[in-house]
Amino acid sequence: MSKSVIVIDDDEDTVRLFSEFLEEHDINVIGNGFDGVTAVKLFKETKPDVVLIDLNMPNGSGFYAIKKIQEINPKACIIAVTADGSFATEEKLEKLNIPLIQKPFKMDQVISIIKN
C-alpha cells in the first residue's frame, strides 16, 4: 500500500517538485502547505503516514510544527528537509528523533526514507 505524505515548505517550487516526484514513485501526496501553522492543521485533517517539513519558514517554523504534531501524535513520522546544516539544528532534531535530509537533496534518498 502506498504511503500518504504531506509536503510543507515555504518555497512553492520545492513543494510542487517534491509532490510531483513523490507521486511518480507511488507515494500519495495528500496535502501541501507553506508554513508551520498550516502543517499542523493539515496533519490534524489528513493524518498522513509521513510529514516532510522544512525548518525555516514564516508563520510557524518547522520546529514549531514538529512540536505541535508530536503533541497530537508522539509516534508521527516526520522528516525534516532543510538547508540548515548547523550543529545546533542537527542536535535539536536528534533529540526529537527526527531524520534530517539536507538541501540540496537526492530524491532517491527521500523515497528510500519514506518507504522505510
Side-chain angles (χ1 to χ4, degrees), residues 62-81:
F63 282 113
Y64 161 84
I66 289 167
K67 184 173 177 272
K68 293 292 185 191
I69 289 168
Q70 287 182 329
E71 285 171 8
I72 297 164
N73 178 358
K75 291 184 175 7
C77 179
I78 304 169
I79 301 168
V81 183

Side-chain angles (χ1 to χ4, degrees), residues 7-108:
V7 179
I8 313 295
D9 195 304
D10 60 336
D11 181 73
E12 291 186 33
D13 289 339
T14 300
V15 170
R16 186 177 46 77
L17 290 169
F18 240 128
S19 299
E20 287 172 7
F21 188 84
L22 295 172
E23 292 281 353
E24 285 171 15
H25 286 81
D26 297 321
I27 293 170
N28 189 15
V29 178
I30 57 174
N32 292 322
F34 307 103
D35 60 60
V37 171
T38 305
V40 176
K41 185 171 162 258
L42 270 173
F43 182 81
K44 284 180 188 170
E45 290 170 2
T46 63
K47 309 257 188 299
D49 296 319
V50 180
V51 177
L52 279 176
I53 192 160
D54 185 22
L55 296 178
N56 301 314
M57 299 180 290
N59 197 23
S61 72
F63 282 113
Y64 161 84
I66 289 167
K67 184 173 177 272
K68 293 292 185 191
I69 289 168
Q70 287 182 329
E71 285 171 8
I72 297 164
N73 178 358
K75 291 184 175 7
C77 179
I78 304 169
I79 301 168
V81 183
T82 186
D84 177 359
S86 73
F87 181 71
T89 296
E90 287 182 25
E91 211 173 34
K92 267 191 201 171
L93 289 169
E94 212 170 278
K95 282 183 183 151
L96 293 166
N97 201 22
I98 305 280
L100 169 65
I101 296 174
Q102 287 286 153
K103 289 179 183 177
F105 44 81
K106 293 179 175 63
M107 283 310 287
D108 53 344

